[in-house]
Amino acid sequence: MPFAYYARLSRAQQAVYRKSDEIVEVRLARAGALLPVVEELGAALAAEDRATVQRATERMIRALTDELGVSPVKVQVLAARPHAKWGELHGLYTAERGRTPTIQLWMRTAKQRRVVAFRTYLRTLLHEVGHHLDYTLLRLRDSYHTEGFYKRESSLFKQLVPEAARPPGSPMSALSADAWFGVSADARLARLARMPDQVAAALDGRREAALRKRPAPEAWAPTEIVCHLRDAEELFGARVAAILENDEPALPEAGPAERWARERQYARHDPRRALEHFRRRRGESLETLIALPPAEWQRGGEHPSRGRLSIDMLVAHMAWHDDNHLEQLTRALEGRA
Amino acid sequence: MPTMEEYAAQPAAQRLERLTRTAAQLTAAVEGRPETVMARRPDGKNWAPKEIVCHLRDTEEAFGARFEQILAMDVDPRLGAPTADRWAEERQYLRNDALEAIAAFRTRRDENLATLRALTPAQWNKAALHPVRGRMTLDTFLTLMAWHDDNHLDQLARALEGKA
């Protein structure tokens, strides 16, 4: 299903969009040869020196364009990234007629001025390289953020960070909440939108008795995981609503999840009804988020143990939360804790 | 059964004392009742006994969260609308065990009582903006809780008899 902006494109643009959406992978024939360059980039970022990061980033991008046989691109690594719509700007690709295209990347967060996490940085880098590849490798007339685009970005990421390529779940299943924070809002929303169907597919054909079985005394049964997703979604909705209704409200400590499971007696619930209610709550969350002007994503509230939480951060956390519990669900269905 | 106004006129200590008795009253009402009675709705739209018990448990948790928010903020927070019927459906109250639900209610109630008993006089006047009831101080919340307990204990006694 295309993202919402598809409807606003012209027919010619829609054709480009569809073509972009169909291509889900960019294969690197010799990905292994690039791994030392990836490692070097990680080390450079850890050293927190801009000139070092600039050199390592240039080598990384040059290795990619050489490997794929496309024209090179200019690279500029900057210090603190500016605020922009969808939170903070992480990278930028600029192509003007008659000039070498440029990729700009920011190595520090705007607010905390911390060096960004390595995976976030690499993913941003691959995102911008993805735009370059759209024009030079795939010969698209425009470079849209389609689901195919994000899958191509993920396919590159997984080839360069092999431990990220573990099953199951989404192409981004190994991302931390911090890394999700560096992923575009569209991609995070697309991840949230997939979840109910992924859970439904996991439960498909299983008997209720099997779903109620805990893989270990302290590990949730599949039914309990689905109930947790449902109630976590309600909490997410309540937090977003509180943030939008108030000016920087206090966000109450909730749960904890283990206490909810016990008090609300998850083990007795019907997992399929729980899934339907999760789906309904998730649909409501997405409706709210999609309708929200980008600047509103920066509104937040104060959590007693987690500090300030913006809507932007809550969405990143929820994307990670989905990945995490989908993996847990898969394990639980196989009888593993 | 005292009205909200009558409870509001009582000293806080008296209202707090009323709250301490509810868990035992719930247990006494439902103990020994067969599952068929506990899960029986008196009519198409009124709750079964176990749904009433679960409602008290979850409301108690919500009260606690509101207290925490009110006490942490310098201005009155705007609260969301209550969603009791949706909770009953989504949290599958009809599949719950009533005595376990009462045990959880008791723990949550004890936590709220501890919070309320520790309030300073100034804190009793801290408040939230309720979408239906308007500005509610913590003192008003205490009144509401006492009345809410009575109201649902009464509803429970009727539901156990199959009456709406």
Side-chain angles (χ1 to χ4, degrees), chain A residues 66-116:
Chain A
D66 283 356
E67 164 71 20
L68 293 164
V70 300
S71 59
V73 56
K74 248 170 45 187
V75 179
Q76 203 182 2
V77 175
L78 302 157
R81 63 196 182 194
H83 294 275
K85 67 171 196 167
W86 298 128
E88 296 182 351
L89 191 58
H90 310 107
L92 195 63
Y93 176 76
T94 321
E96 286 170 30
R97 195 175 286 277
R99 290 191 176 187
T100 309
T102 306
I103 288 175
Q104 290 172 301
L105 294 166
W106 283 270
M107 61 175 280
R108 288 178 194 278
T109 60
K111 281 212 185 109
Q112 311 290 343
R113 309 220 153 225
R114 277 193 313 244
V115 172
V116 297

Side-chain angles (χ1 to χ4, degrees), chain A residues 246-267:
Chain A
N246 296 277
D247 181 22
E248 296 288 322
L251 300 172
E253 191 84 61
E258 191 48 56
R259 185 172 182 184
W260 276 351
R262 196 175 61 249
E263 290 191 349
R264 298 180 187 175
Q265 308 181 26
Y266 286 174

Side-chain angles (χ1 to χ4, degrees), chain A residues 208 212 227 230-231 234 242 245-256 259-260 262-265 268-274 277 280-281 284 304, chain B residues 54 57-58 61 64-66 68-69 72-73 75-79 83 86-93 95-101 104-105 107-108 111:
Chain A
E208 197 178 322
R212 216 181 295 140
C227 291
R230 174 198 64 206
D231 289 358
E234 180 187 348
E245 275 287 306
N246 296 277
D247 181 22
E248 296 288 322
L251 300 172
E253 191 84 61
R259 185 172 182 184
W260 276 351
R262 196 175 61 249
E263 290 191 349
R264 298 180 187 175
Q265 308 181 26
R268 293 193 166 92
H269 290 211
D270 172 346
R272 291 194 168 76
R273 283 188 60 209
H277 292 142
R280 186 169 69 181
R281 292 268 183 195
E284 291 168 3
Chain B
C54 290
R57 173 198 65 201
D58 288 356
E61 180 186 349
R66 286 170 169 191
E68 187 192 326
Q69 192 179 33
M73 287 176 65
V75 295
D76 299 347
R78 289 180 184 280
L79 303 176
T83 55
R86 191 166 179 184
W87 282 348
E89 182 200 7
E90 292 190 352
R91 299 183 187 173
Q92 305 189 24
Y93 287 174
R95 284 185 166 231
N96 276 228
D97 176 87
L99 288 174
E100 276 182 40
F105 166 79
T107 310
R108 294 274 181 190
E111 290 169 8

